[in-house]
Amino acid sequence: MSLSPRTTVFVVLCFLFVLAPYLARATTDELQARCDSHSFNNGKHFRSCVDLPVLDSFLHFSYVRETGVLEVAYRHINVESSSWIAWGINPTSKGMSGSQTLLAYRNSTSGVMRVYTSSIKGYSPTLQEGPLSFRVLQLSGEYLNGEMTIFATIVLPSNITVVNHLWQDGPLTEGDRLGMHAMSGDHLKSTGTLDLLSGQVTTTKAANDNMLLVKKIHGLVNAVCWGIFMPIGVIAARYMRTYKGLDPMWFYIHIIFQTTGYFGGLLGGLGTAIYMAKHTGMRSTTHTVIGIVLFALGFLQILALKARPDKEHKYRKYWNWYHHTTGYVVIILSVYNIYKGLAILQPGSSWKIAYTTIIGVIGMFAIVMEIMQFKNRWGSLCCKESEDLKADQTVSTNV
């Protein structure tokens, strides 16, 4: 059945009539979010405004070059009430360390906004309240309809035209403590330079891209060295040594994979970690702590080789217990820490799928070998227990 042209036009007009209110509302909301059409409830007006490239943020400001007075309103939309926001100027560099910051959050009990200043001196800041290197004349904030704003009037050295600025948001933890912001995605791109005269913002894209590349190298090197080479080395020592024809080949394979894994992780993994700590700060996260523990355990394993007794020595079995137990702990922590790192890096599902597939194949091979060698490995223990049980029964019968 075909529709006449008149009927088709009528249906289209009805469809547009129904959708018109929703389209108008969406367009209005979008325009209100933008700088050039936003109006503040307190009636403030600013000469310039900038749509910041990430984190749903906007910067409104008025600047008098001769006096250095900068009136600013940092506005963050689509933010939860249980979040904090921050905007700051770094007079010495383009990173977080050294930035003079304005922070705001909404008290979870009273609902009152708290706005204060904090001078960040390192890459693991506590964001405690403190004075800035320049004067702050006025400071206030508001939270309305998922939109948090910081209002401030600050005094910069006169005749400054370009500043390094950064902006951020993060969660509030228990007791209204400021939690760590995310360490991936747009949260690593929220920095740049601001021209106070033209309003032009230039993000530090090259630096962000370099840091992302370093993080990917860090993840790849550690996944291969600690998460693949180390388990293969352990498997070689555990299952190849039971075949007499593979002695001493298993030992050399074990040493090659273990030393390659450790020193590869030391040079590539630890090297990139030091680079990231220098440029983004050293944070006491679970991932970092486990990484340090792994390098320490690996170093102890190397030292243990120097103290290995002969096979016939009475202390050899104790050395074996220590060496094997430490090795298994290293494998478990390595795999766990790789998944922690992937959760931080968020490189895409393909990385996680690829590593899960590889470690799954290694694990399945270990299970098959354990089943095949079960009798040889554990049979003597079972036989010994049976013999002890028969001996006890014989003694009981004689009595």
Side-chain angles (χ1 to χ4, degrees):
M1 182 182 67
S2 59
L3 298 176
S4 65
R6 182 178 299 179
T7 304
T8 302
V9 172
F10 177 77
V11 171
V12 171
L13 290 176
C14 291
F15 184 73
L16 293 176
F17 180 78
V18 173
L19 290 182
Y22 301 97
L23 294 174
R25 185 181 305 170
T27 303
T28 302
D29 292 342
E30 182 179 357
L31 288 174
Q32 288 179 348
R34 293 183 59 83
C35 274
D36 51 12
S37 58
H38 184 78
S39 58
F40 293 100
N41 294 328
N42 55 14
K44 284 184 174 290
H45 297 279
F46 300 88
R47 298 175 185 173
S48 304
C49 65
V50 178
D51 295 5
L52 298 177
V54 294
L55 298 184
D56 291 332
S57 298
F58 307 86
L59 186 67
H60 308 251
F61 62 94
S62 298
Y63 179 61
V64 181
R65 180 176 180 176
E66 292 74 18
T67 61
V69 174
L70 175 64
E71 291 185 85
V72 63
Y74 169 67
R75 187 164 57 94
H76 195 317
I77 66 173
N78 301 324
V79 64
E80 299 291 337
S81 60
S82 57
S83 301
W84 58 266
I85 64 171
W87 179 84
I89 291 176
N90 193 330
T92 59
S93 66
K94 294 184 178 181
M96 180 175 69
S97 181
S99 63
Q100 308 300 299
T101 312
L102 314 174
L103 298 105
Y105 66 89
R106 183 172 178 265
N107 186 283
S108 59
T109 303
S110 64
V112 177
M113 288 292 297
R114 186 193 175 200
V115 188
Y116 66 97
T117 61
S118 179
S119 179
I120 299 177
K121 296 180 174 61
Y123 283 100
S124 298
T126 56
L127 300 179
Q128 295 294 322
E129 184 172 1
L132 304 184
S133 62
F134 44 75
R135 286 189 297 158
V136 179
L137 302 181
Q138 295 180 355
L139 193 60
S140 63
E142 68 176 17
Y143 179 78
L144 183 64
N145 299 326
E147 184 173 304
M148 194 174 294
T149 307
I150 298 175
F151 298 97
T153 301
I154 61 180
V155 182
L156 301 175
S158 59
N159 292 319
I160 284 182
T161 59
V162 178
V163 294
N164 302 313
H165 77 136
L166 63 161
W167 60 101
Q168 195 57 262
D169 70 77
L172 285 180
T173 60
E174 186 176 357
D176 284 345
R177 296 181 179 179
L178 275 62
M180 175 64 70
H181 65 77
M183 291 300 299
S184 61
D186 289 343
H187 290 271
L188 299 180
K189 303 175 183 177
S190 55
T191 179
T193 58
L194 172 66
D195 190 318
L196 296 174
L197 299 182
S198 67
Q200 182 177 3
V201 172
T202 303
T203 59
T204 53
K205 184 177 185 299
N208 292 326
D209 290 345
N210 290 338
M211 184 57 63
L212 182 59
L213 177 61
V214 170
K215 289 188 175 185
K216 288 184 177 181
I217 293 174
H218 173 80
L220 182 61
V221 169
N222 281 307
V224 172
C225 293
W226 289 96
I228 297 177
F229 283 0
M230 287 290 187
I232 291 176
V234 170
I235 287 176
R238 181 170 179 83
Y239 301 115
M240 291 179 65
R241 67 188 303 173
T242 58
Y243 300 98
K244 294 182 178 180
L246 298 178
D247 192 9
M249 183 186 298
W250 70 265
F251 179 75
Y252 297 126
I253 294 177
H254 173 69
I255 292 297
I256 289 173
F257 274 97
Q258 299 300 90
T259 54
T260 302
Y262 181 77
F263 288 105
L266 184 66
L267 296 175
L270 184 60
T272 53
I274 293 174
Y275 177 88
M276 289 187 292
K278 181 179 179 181
H279 289 81
T280 63
M282 188 72 173
R283 296 172 175 85
S284 299
T285 63
T286 304
H287 180 72
T288 303
V289 172
I290 293 177
I292 295 173
V293 170
L294 285 173
F295 280 111
L297 291 177
F299 184 68
L300 290 177
Q301 288 287 70
I302 295 175
L303 294 180
L305 293 176
K306 295 293 185 180
R308 182 180 60 171
D310 295 333
K311 291 183 179 180
E312 294 76 18
H313 199 282
K314 63 179 180 179
Y315 292 127
R316 178 59 182 262
K317 65 178 181 180
Y318 301 111
W319 185 91
N320 287 339
W321 290 345
Y322 159 78
H323 185 66
H324 296 165
T325 302
T326 304
Y328 295 139
V329 169
V330 167
I331 297 304
I332 294 172
L333 288 179
S334 296
V335 174
Y336 174 78
N337 212 32
I338 287 168
Y339 281 105
K340 290 286 290 184
L342 290 175
I344 296 172
L345 180 60
Q346 297 181 355
S349 60
S350 59
W351 283 52
K352 189 173 183 179
I353 293 173
Y355 180 71
T356 302
T357 302
I358 294 172
I359 199 65
V361 170
I362 294 174
M364 287 299 300
F365 178 81
I367 292 173
V368 171
M369 293 301 298
E370 197 70 30
I371 294 173
M372 292 176 60
Q373 297 184 5
F374 180 81
K375 185 175 181 180
N376 294 335
R377 188 176 298 277
W378 305 103
S380 59
L381 180 62
C382 295
C383 292
K384 186 177 184 302
E385 291 178 352
S386 300
E387 291 175 358
D388 293 341
L389 181 60
K390 289 181 179 179
D392 291 341
Q393 291 177 348
T394 302
V395 173
S396 300
T397 303
N398 293 337
V399 173

